[in-house]
Amino acid sequence: MSGNKRKVVLVGTGMVGMSFAYAALNQNVCDELIMIDLNEKRAEGEAMDLNHGLAFSHSSMKIRCGGYGECADADIVVICAGANQKPTESRLQLLQKNAVVFSSIVPKVVQSGFEGIFLVATNPVDIMTRVTYELSGFNASKIIGTGTTLDTARLRYLLGEYFEVDPRNIHAYVIGEHGDSEFVPWSQALLAAKPLKDVMRDNPKSYYMEELEQISDDVRCAAHKIIEAKGATYYGIGMSIVRIVRAILQDENSVLTVSVRLRGEYGGKKDVFIGNPCIVSANGAKRILELKLTEQELQKLDNSCTILNDNFKKLKIEN
């Protein structure tokens, strides 16, 4: 942390960035929020709009637009800049366009003297997090993507409805690519301290594996349905970013399914950034929690890693 003042810089004031900023203001997550955008006038207007609502909040946050020099003493730089996903477009199709955008952002942040933590939300988030790692030269623990945090929240919400229990008592994760190859390792899912497979076994006439797989499909397709209905997703991911920022600024050691760099886990997988439970603290990605997956689940994770590696290798990254 850069002292007692919690400072966050947001790069990109589109719908995702501003959903984060609005949620951050209402949750009083930091002391100072600086907004950077290629369209400086827009950033100025967004800062004004948020400041005019301060009187109605419990926050005393300082909000203003600025330049990359503001990153020098920031704790976190949140990157939401990039092209939007179109209704018929996969997250991976966004890749080359957003890699070009990041080539104009990350070096400027580093050149400011920034020594904090990068938090990436731009899609395809796992590869864009890896791009940030390559462009920055930072230790991998200081480069985090939002990963499958929102997917995991969606999963727990739907499982809470299905089992008629508070979602906070559902301990299940979506891991892998934040995209079409993501999956739920059901072998690791718990209702409180009881494995879901045991809940299913004890209630064979109430709960069915086919219905759990439908929930998994609903989680995987949620973004496409939202984009089809309203053009973009932003509220949920905005709140996910706030959750990760809070875990970092408050040194919570919280377990979140962020996108992190594998270092030999799951049979020796390295370099790829992928959504997986990780302890998040003031130092960033403190420790990856390697799950004990079944053979079938390991195959699904391998598929995710292969997709992400293959697409990353197709990139042309200019530093």
Side-chain angles (χ1 to χ4, degrees), residues 207-250:
Y207 308 119
Y208 303 93
M209 197 63 215
E210 294 83 0
E211 293 174 341
L212 290 192
E213 290 297 349
Q214 183 58 55
I215 287 173
S216 177
D217 289 343
D218 290 344
V219 168
R220 188 182 303 108
C221 298
H224 291 297
K225 290 181 179 178
I226 294 170
I227 291 168
E228 183 180 351
K230 56 179 268 187
T233 69
Y234 35 87
Y235 296 132
I237 189 61
M239 288 184 280
S240 295
I241 299 168
V242 171
R243 178 67 191 93
I244 300 167
V245 166
R246 184 189 302 115
I248 296 169
L249 292 179
Q250 297 186 8

Side-chain angles (χ1 to χ4, degrees), residues 21-209:
Y22 183 68
L25 170 60
N26 281 286
Q27 296 184 39
N28 196 24
V29 77
C30 60
D31 300 310
E32 191 172 1
L33 177 64
I34 311 299
M35 297 189 294
I36 300 173
D37 198 282
L38 190 61
N39 184 341
E40 293 182 16
K41 191 170 184 179
R42 174 177 179 139
E44 289 176 4
E46 294 288 11
M48 289 175 63
D49 202 3
L50 287 176
N51 277 315
H52 295 165
L54 273 170
F56 306 112
S57 75
H58 297 290
S59 176
S60 57
M61 188 187 299
K62 304 297 183 185
I63 305 169
R64 67 180 191 277
C65 65
Y68 286 100
E70 294 279 5
C71 300
D73 62 345
D75 298 303
I76 305 169
V77 168
V78 177
I79 305 181
C80 296
N84 292 325
Q85 187 176 0
K86 297 177 182 178
T88 58
E89 189 175 42
S90 73
R91 293 181 178 98
L92 292 173
Q93 287 175 297
L94 291 172
L95 184 52
Q96 190 60 59
K97 289 189 287 186
N98 285 338
V100 172
V101 172
F102 272 46
S103 294
S104 69
I105 292 173
V106 176
K108 293 176 183 175
V109 174
V110 174
Q111 288 162 14
S112 74
F114 175 65
E115 296 181 343
I117 294 165
F118 279 100
L119 175 54
V120 180
T122 302
N123 277 321
V125 69
D126 305 291
I127 302 178
M128 297 316 302
T129 305
R130 187 171 179 178
V131 168
T132 303
Y133 168 73
E134 297 291 343
L135 288 170
S136 69
F138 276 31
N139 186 290
S141 64
K142 295 188 132 189
I143 312 291
I144 296 175
T146 50
T148 51
T149 52
L150 179 54
D151 309 272
T152 294
R154 288 167 173 158
L155 174 68
R156 292 178 178 178
Y157 167 74
L158 292 174
L159 289 177
E161 284 197 329
Y162 183 66
F163 289 106
E164 297 182 291
V165 67
D166 188 331
R168 289 171 294 185
N169 298 126
I170 298 287
H171 306 293
Y173 301 95
V174 177
I175 68 172
E177 172 205 2
H178 174 56
D180 295 337
S181 69
E182 68 182 36
F183 68 99
V184 180
W186 293 113
S187 67
Q188 305 299 300
L190 302 172
L191 195 165
K194 186 169 183 174
L196 278 191
K197 61 183 180 180
D198 292 344
V199 175
M200 307 290 285
R201 182 198 62 206
D202 295 343
N203 301 273
K205 295 183 179 180
S206 300
Y207 308 119
Y208 303 93
M209 197 63 215

